[in-house]
Amino acid sequence: MSEHLIQIEQHGAVRLLRLNRPEALNALTTGLLGHLRQMLEAAAEDGATRCVLMTGAGRAFSAGQDLSDPHVAPSRDPGTPPKDIGHLLEHYYIPLALRLRSMPIPVVAAVNGVAAGAGASLALGCDLVVAGESASFIQAFSKIGLIPDCGGTWLLPRLVGRAKALEMALLGDRLKAADAAALGLIARVVPDAELPDTAMALAQKLAAMPTRALAETRRAMDEALKLDFEEALKREAGLQSQLGFADDYLEGAAAFLDKRKPEFKDR
Ligand code: T3D
């Protein structure tokens, strides 16, 4: 059953993962969350896959946690104690968010409609976020008495600054894709009809690039947020030192000098 929750397509070196519960706006059940983590794991381990492209089936990217999932749905029986939502985060969201943020290959999100709650965090946790112009982002958590999760409290202020992050998280209003791009929450917005091709072209472009350097770029930027300037400079030097010994650098520099197209292979 769970294999239907995500559609998988291989396009050369790009693995497309499409969340597939369109009838519920791709709301995230424990089954879908677990399967998505497995699919990311499989893509990370597959040497032929050099980029993941994530999107949603139907008119939404994802409406966030499925509020009717028995693991979290509040019981109507007054005698039944409330469920511990923290348990769900520990066992499903934290492993998924960590897997996403430490992928050895880049991950592109093609946001094809609404991305709400943890669905927004999932999209924003990807490396490059491109949205269709009818897409929108909703920090839906506050409306149901929760805080942003799946990395939301970490991602939002870093992407747009504290003032806008708090405005989004406190009010829970819908943010249109164009406004999200203007704020720096996402990288690009394109006409809806162009989203699949644009996102795939970006993913293919990344797949042809030096994968290891791309993953280290993400890691270095995430780590730099915790470092002072001098520490960041030293971290850059350490990583550059490692990359300088790697085949991709030798290939990239040689191809430039030879005036030919490079063929990158490192992972
Ligand atoms: O346990 C925990 O909660 C912890 C984890 C928290 C992480 C979170 O993600 S919390 C935030 C959860 N998400 C939300 O609160 C968003 C809820 N959904 C909405 O506010 C709206 O659906 C949207 C603004 C996203 C879209 O509105 P609209 O009018 O375009 O669509 P709709 O009619 O509301 O939804 C269409 C169907 O999807 C509908 O089902 P039906 O009536 O046709 O059978 C609706 O119930 C279903 N659906 C939408 N979101 C969810 C959902 N079903 C379950 N869970 C959802 N989150």
Side-chain angles (χ1 to χ4, degrees), residues 20-246:
N20 190 34
R21 297 190 67 228
E23 70 288 354
L25 306 187
N26 301 315
L28 305 165
T29 56
T30 49
L32 197 157
L33 289 164
H35 196 46
L36 180 56
R37 179 154 68 101
Q38 282 171 14
M39 292 303 98
L40 288 174
E41 201 67 57
E45 283 170 13
D46 175 22
T49 297
R50 297 171 64 86
C51 186
V52 167
L53 174 56
M54 202 190 301
T55 193
R59 68 180 177 92
F61 180 80
S62 170
Q65 171 61 38
D66 188 313
L67 299 173
S68 66
D69 188 310
H71 285 81
V72 296
S75 169
R76 312 266 176 192
D77 175 1
T80 309
K83 290 159 189 155
D84 182 358
I85 297 175
H87 188 77
L88 175 82
L89 299 185
E90 286 286 342
H91 290 273
Y92 290 91
Y93 282 104
I94 292 177
L96 175 61
L98 289 175
R99 175 65 286 182
L100 187 59
R101 204 71 186 178
S102 62
M103 286 290 282
I105 57 178
V107 184
V108 176
V111 182
N112 53 303
V114 68
S121 302
L122 186 61
L124 299 177
C126 294
D127 299 316
L128 206 56
V129 186
V130 54
E133 59 194 352
S134 70
S136 58
F137 297 82
I138 308 176
Q139 294 300 313
F141 308 91
S142 60
K143 299 224 170 119
I144 55 168
L146 297 178
I147 63 164
D149 63 20
C150 192
T153 58
W154 191 92
L155 290 163
L156 287 174
R158 283 169 170 81
L159 290 167
V160 297
R162 185 175 186 272
K164 280 292 168 189
L166 273 175
E167 182 187 41
M168 280 180 227
L170 298 181
L171 297 177
D173 287 340
R174 189 187 289 264
L175 185 72
K176 290 182 184 156
D179 295 330
L183 277 174
L185 188 72
I186 63 171
R188 301 186 188 186
V189 57
V190 297
D192 288 339
E194 293 174 21
L195 180 66
D197 287 352
T198 302
M200 181 57 76
L202 284 169
Q204 294 289 359
K205 180 174 181 172
L206 288 167
M209 292 177 70
T211 305
R212 188 172 155 196
L214 301 185
E216 293 293 17
T217 300
R218 177 215 297 128
R219 191 151 69 103
M221 285 201 182
D222 284 352
E223 286 178 2
L225 295 166
K226 296 177 282 190
L227 304 175
D228 67 27
F229 186 55
E230 189 172 352
E231 288 168 335
L233 286 169
K234 288 180 179 158
R235 185 81 185 105
E236 287 171 5
L239 285 171
Q240 214 70 304
S241 174
Q242 291 170 26
L243 290 169
F245 289 114

